[in-house]
mmCIF file of all heavy atoms in Angstrom:
data_model
loop_
_atom_site.group_PDB
_atom_site.id
_atom_site.type_symbol
_atom_site.label_atom_id
_atom_site.label_comp_id
_atom_site.label_asym_id
_atom_site.label_seq_id
_atom_site.Cartn_x
_atom_site.Cartn_y
_atom_site.Cartn_z
ATOM 1 N N LEU A 78 125.543 83.454 69.864
ATOM 2 C CA LEU A 78 124.770 83.368 68.629
ATOM 3 C C LEU A 78 124.041 84.674 68.379
ATOM 4 O O LEU A 78 123.437 85.238 69.286
ATOM 5 C CB LEU A 78 123.746 82.233 68.724
ATOM 6 C CG LEU A 78 124.298 80.852 69.080
ATOM 7 C CD1 LEU A 78 123.158 79.847 69.208
ATOM 8 C CD2 LEU A 78 125.307 80.398 68.034
ATOM 9 N N THR A 79 124.073 85.117 67.118
ATOM 10 C CA THR A 79 123.386 86.333 66.710
ATOM 11 C C THR A 79 122.618 86.049 65.433
ATOM 12 O O THR A 79 123.217 85.667 64.415
ATOM 13 C CB THR A 79 124.399 87.474 66.444
ATOM 14 O OG1 THR A 79 125.226 87.633 67.596
ATOM 15 C CG2 THR A 79 123.686 88.771 66.138
ATOM 16 N N GLU A 80 121.297 86.215 65.489
ATOM 17 C CA GLU A 80 120.488 86.044 64.284
ATOM 18 C C GLU A 80 120.811 87.186 63.331
ATOM 19 O O GLU A 80 120.827 88.350 63.717
ATOM 20 C CB GLU A 80 119.003 86.055 64.640
ATOM 21 C CG GLU A 80 118.106 85.813 63.456
ATOM 22 C CD GLU A 80 116.630 85.816 63.828
ATOM 23 O OE1 GLU A 80 116.274 86.342 64.900
ATOM 24 O OE2 GLU A 80 115.845 85.300 63.027
ATOM 25 N N THR A 81 121.089 86.849 62.074
ATOM 26 C CA THR A 81 121.427 87.890 61.113
ATOM 27 C C THR A 81 120.303 88.118 60.118
ATOM 28 O O THR A 81 120.034 89.243 59.751
ATOM 29 C CB THR A 81 122.733 87.575 60.363
ATOM 30 O OG1 THR A 81 122.600 86.313 59.712
ATOM 31 C CG2 THR A 81 123.908 87.531 61.324
ATOM 32 N N ALA A 82 119.649 87.058 59.656
ATOM 33 C CA ALA A 82 118.540 87.212 58.715
ATOM 34 C C ALA A 82 117.857 85.868 58.539
ATOM 35 O O ALA A 82 118.532 84.868 58.274
ATOM 36 C CB ALA A 82 119.042 87.716 57.365
ATOM 37 N N GLY A 83 116.563 85.852 58.697
ATOM 38 C CA GLY A 83 115.777 84.654 58.417
ATOM 39 C C GLY A 83 116.355 83.384 58.981
ATOM 40 O O GLY A 83 116.340 83.156 60.177
ATOM 41 N N ASP A 84 116.888 82.577 58.119
ATOM 42 C CA ASP A 84 117.413 81.268 58.498
ATOM 43 C C ASP A 84 118.932 81.248 58.528
ATOM 44 O O ASP A 84 119.569 80.270 58.153
ATOM 45 C CB ASP A 84 116.898 80.214 57.511
ATOM 46 C CG ASP A 84 115.416 79.969 57.663
ATOM 47 O OD1 ASP A 84 114.879 80.244 58.755
ATOM 48 O OD2 ASP A 84 114.791 79.501 56.700
ATOM 49 N N ARG A 85 119.517 82.337 59.000
ATOM 50 C CA ARG A 85 120.977 82.480 59.048
ATOM 51 C C ARG A 85 121.361 83.053 60.410
ATOM 52 O O ARG A 85 120.749 84.008 60.887
ATOM 53 C CB ARG A 85 121.420 83.401 57.927
ATOM 54 C CG ARG A 85 122.895 83.545 57.761
ATOM 55 C CD ARG A 85 123.227 84.365 56.518
ATOM 56 N NE ARG A 85 122.733 83.729 55.308
ATOM 57 C CZ ARG A 85 123.418 82.842 54.586
ATOM 58 N NH1 ARG A 85 124.634 82.508 54.954
ATOM 59 N NH2 ARG A 85 122.909 82.308 53.501
ATOM 60 N N VAL A 86 122.389 82.478 61.012
ATOM 61 C CA VAL A 86 122.852 82.895 62.332
ATOM 62 C C VAL A 86 124.364 83.028 62.293
ATOM 63 O O VAL A 86 125.054 82.220 61.661
ATOM 64 C CB VAL A 86 122.436 81.845 63.399
ATOM 65 C CG1 VAL A 86 123.072 82.135 64.747
ATOM 66 C CG2 VAL A 86 120.923 81.779 63.519
ATOM 67 N N ARG A 87 124.865 84.052 62.953
ATOM 68 C CA ARG A 87 126.312 84.196 63.133
ATOM 69 C C ARG A 87 126.646 83.599 64.493
ATOM 70 O O ARG A 87 126.002 83.912 65.496
ATOM 71 C CB ARG A 87 126.724 85.661 63.066
ATOM 72 C CG ARG A 87 128.242 85.815 63.060
ATOM 73 C CD ARG A 87 128.685 87.252 62.895
ATOM 74 N NE ARG A 87 128.382 87.967 64.131
ATOM 75 C CZ ARG A 87 127.709 89.109 64.197
ATOM 76 N NH1 ARG A 87 127.250 89.692 63.126
ATOM 77 N NH2 ARG A 87 127.478 89.689 65.356
ATOM 78 N N ALA A 88 127.650 82.723 64.529
ATOM 79 C CA ALA A 88 128.093 82.104 65.778
ATOM 80 C C ALA A 88 129.567 82.410 65.974
ATOM 81 O O ALA A 88 130.365 82.329 65.045
ATOM 82 C CB ALA A 88 127.875 80.600 65.743
ATOM 83 N N CYS A 89 129.912 82.773 67.189
ATOM 84 C CA CYS A 89 131.301 83.002 67.559
ATOM 85 C C CYS A 89 131.563 82.162 68.800
ATOM 86 O O CYS A 89 130.773 82.184 69.752
ATOM 87 C CB CYS A 89 131.525 84.489 67.837
ATOM 88 S SG CYS A 89 133.242 84.895 68.183
ATOM 89 N N SER A 90 132.631 81.382 68.771
ATOM 90 C CA SER A 90 132.945 80.541 69.920
ATOM 91 C C SER A 90 134.454 80.446 70.082
ATOM 92 O O SER A 90 135.222 80.759 69.174
ATOM 93 C CB SER A 90 132.327 79.149 69.754
ATOM 94 O OG SER A 90 132.765 78.537 68.560
ATOM 95 N N LYS A 91 134.851 80.021 71.262
ATOM 96 C CA LYS A 91 136.263 79.806 71.571
ATOM 97 C C LYS A 91 136.556 78.315 71.490
ATOM 98 O O LYS A 91 135.713 77.486 71.830
ATOM 99 C CB LYS A 91 136.591 80.303 72.986
ATOM 100 C CG LYS A 91 136.389 81.784 73.169
ATOM 101 C CD LYS A 91 137.396 82.543 72.378
ATOM 102 C CE LYS A 91 137.349 84.018 72.709
ATOM 103 N NZ LYS A 91 138.393 84.736 72.022
ATOM 104 N N GLY A 92 137.746 77.984 71.048
ATOM 105 C CA GLY A 92 138.153 76.591 70.981
ATOM 106 C C GLY A 92 139.513 76.402 71.623
ATOM 107 O O GLY A 92 140.393 77.259 71.504
ATOM 108 N N LEU A 93 139.646 75.300 72.307
ATOM 109 C CA LEU A 93 140.927 74.878 72.864
ATOM 110 C C LEU A 93 141.283 73.557 72.216
ATOM 111 O O LEU A 93 140.462 72.637 72.183
ATOM 112 C CB LEU A 93 140.849 74.691 74.376
ATOM 113 C CG LEU A 93 140.525 75.928 75.195
ATOM 114 C CD1 LEU A 93 140.275 75.551 76.649
ATOM 115 C CD2 LEU A 93 141.676 76.918 75.098
ATOM 116 N N GLY A 94 142.491 73.467 71.684
ATOM 117 C CA GLY A 94 142.974 72.222 71.112
ATOM 118 C C GLY A 94 144.090 71.682 71.979
ATOM 119 O O GLY A 94 145.088 72.360 72.209
ATOM 120 N N VAL A 95 143.887 70.465 72.479
ATOM 121 C CA VAL A 95 144.895 69.809 73.313
ATOM 122 C C VAL A 95 145.656 68.839 72.427
ATOM 123 O O VAL A 95 145.060 67.960 71.787
ATOM 124 C CB VAL A 95 144.246 69.065 74.494
ATOM 125 C CG1 VAL A 95 145.313 68.389 75.356
ATOM 126 C CG2 VAL A 95 143.391 70.015 75.326
ATOM 127 N N ASN A 96 146.964 69.013 72.373
ATOM 128 C CA ASN A 96 147.811 68.169 71.535
ATOM 129 C C ASN A 96 148.341 66.964 72.307
ATOM 130 O O ASN A 96 148.331 66.952 73.546
ATOM 131 C CB ASN A 96 148.976 68.997 70.978
ATOM 132 C CG ASN A 96 148.477 70.141 70.136
ATOM 133 O OD1 ASN A 96 147.683 69.940 69.213
ATOM 134 N ND2 ASN A 96 148.908 71.348 70.446
ATOM 135 N N ALA A 97 148.804 65.967 71.578
ATOM 136 C CA ALA A 97 149.292 64.734 72.202
ATOM 137 C C ALA A 97 150.431 64.986 73.173
ATOM 138 O O ALA A 97 150.591 64.253 74.151
ATOM 139 C CB ALA A 97 149.720 63.739 71.121
ATOM 140 N N ASP A 98 151.220 66.035 72.944
ATOM 141 C CA ASP A 98 152.342 66.328 73.843
ATOM 142 C C ASP A 98 151.927 67.173 75.051
ATOM 143 O O ASP A 98 152.770 67.575 75.850
ATOM 144 C CB ASP A 98 153.474 67.008 73.084
ATOM 145 C CG ASP A 98 153.113 68.390 72.553
ATOM 146 O OD1 ASP A 98 151.976 68.866 72.777
ATOM 147 O OD2 ASP A 98 153.973 69.008 71.892
ATOM 148 N N GLY A 99 150.634 67.452 75.178
ATOM 149 C CA GLY A 99 150.137 68.208 76.324
ATOM 150 C C GLY A 99 150.044 69.702 76.102
ATOM 151 O O GLY A 99 149.492 70.419 76.933
ATOM 152 N N THR A 100 150.587 70.209 74.996
ATOM 153 C CA THR A 100 150.452 71.638 74.723
ATOM 154 C C THR A 100 149.011 71.940 74.319
ATOM 155 O O THR A 100 148.268 71.057 73.881
ATOM 156 C CB THR A 100 151.419 72.096 73.602
ATOM 157 O OG1 THR A 100 151.139 71.350 72.415
ATOM 158 C CG2 THR A 100 152.871 71.898 74.028
ATOM 159 N N VAL A 101 148.635 73.201 74.499
ATOM 160 C CA VAL A 101 147.267 73.626 74.209
ATOM 161 C C VAL A 101 147.315 74.875 73.344
ATOM 162 O O VAL A 101 148.138 75.766 73.555
ATOM 163 C CB VAL A 101 146.502 73.942 75.525
ATOM 164 C CG1 VAL A 101 145.105 74.446 75.238
ATOM 165 C CG2 VAL A 101 146.451 72.713 76.420
ATOM 166 N N GLY A 102 146.431 74.939 72.365
ATOM 167 C CA GLY A 102 146.286 76.126 71.535
ATOM 168 C C GLY A 102 144.885 76.680 71.670
ATOM 169 O O GLY A 102 143.950 75.960 72.005
ATOM 170 N N SER A 103 144.750 77.973 71.409
ATOM 171 C CA SER A 103 143.457 78.645 71.521
ATOM 172 C C SER A 103 143.074 79.249 70.174
ATOM 173 O O SER A 103 143.910 79.833 69.492
ATOM 174 C CB SER A 103 143.548 79.740 72.579
ATOM 175 O OG SER A 103 142.328 80.449 72.673
ATOM 176 N N VAL A 104 141.795 79.097 69.821
ATOM 177 C CA VAL A 104 141.286 79.662 68.570
ATOM 178 C C VAL A 104 139.928 80.312 68.818
ATOM 179 O O VAL A 104 139.296 80.093 69.855
ATOM 180 C CB VAL A 104 141.120 78.586 67.463
ATOM 181 C CG1 VAL A 104 142.436 77.923 67.129
ATOM 182 C CG2 VAL A 104 140.059 77.569 67.830
ATOM 183 N N THR A 105 139.515 81.094 67.849
ATOM 184 C CA THR A 105 138.135 81.565 67.774
ATOM 185 C C THR A 105 137.542 80.992 66.503
ATOM 186 O O THR A 105 138.172 81.038 65.442
ATOM 187 C CB THR A 105 138.067 83.105 67.734
ATOM 188 O OG1 THR A 105 138.599 83.620 68.957
ATOM 189 C CG2 THR A 105 136.643 83.591 67.569
ATOM 190 N N TYR A 106 136.353 80.410 66.627
ATOM 191 C CA TYR A 106 135.597 79.943 65.466
ATOM 192 C C TYR A 106 134.578 81.020 65.125
ATOM 193 O O TYR A 106 133.781 81.418 65.973
ATOM 194 C CB TYR A 106 134.844 78.650 65.770
ATOM 195 C CG TYR A 106 135.715 77.449 66.039
ATOM 196 C CD1 TYR A 106 135.692 76.830 67.288
ATOM 197 C CD2 TYR A 106 136.532 76.909 65.054
ATOM 198 C CE1 TYR A 106 136.462 75.708 67.537
ATOM 199 C CE2 TYR A 106 137.314 75.793 65.305
ATOM 200 C CZ TYR A 106 137.267 75.195 66.549
ATOM 201 O OH TYR A 106 138.032 74.088 66.790
ATOM 202 N N GLU A 107 134.599 81.500 63.893
ATOM 203 C CA GLU A 107 133.608 82.454 63.399
ATOM 204 C C GLU A 107 132.779 81.713 62.355
ATOM 205 O O GLU A 107 133.287 81.378 61.278
ATOM 206 C CB GLU A 107 134.286 83.674 62.789
ATOM 207 C CG GLU A 107 135.127 84.438 63.794
ATOM 208 C CD GLU A 107 135.982 85.527 63.162
ATOM 209 O OE1 GLU A 107 136.000 85.649 61.903
ATOM 210 O OE2 GLU A 107 136.646 86.238 63.919
ATOM 211 N N ASP A 108 131.534 81.426 62.683
ATOM 212 C CA ASP A 108 130.695 80.582 61.842
ATOM 213 C C ASP A 108 129.489 81.322 61.293
ATOM 214 O O ASP A 108 128.912 82.186 61.966
ATOM 215 C CB ASP A 108 130.148 79.393 62.654
ATOM 216 C CG ASP A 108 131.227 78.470 63.168
ATOM 217 O OD1 ASP A 108 132.297 78.364 62.530
ATOM 218 O OD2 ASP A 108 130.994 77.824 64.212
#
Side-chain angles (χ1 to χ4, degrees):
L78 305 177
T79 306
E80 183 180 19
T81 57
D84 290 337
R85 186 174 299 271
V86 172
R87 188 176 71 232
C89 184
S90 57
K91 297 292 189 176
L93 297 171
V95 180
N96 299 307
D98 66 1
T100 59
V101 177
S103 177
V104 299
T105 297
Y106 294 116
E107 298 171 355
D108 297 331

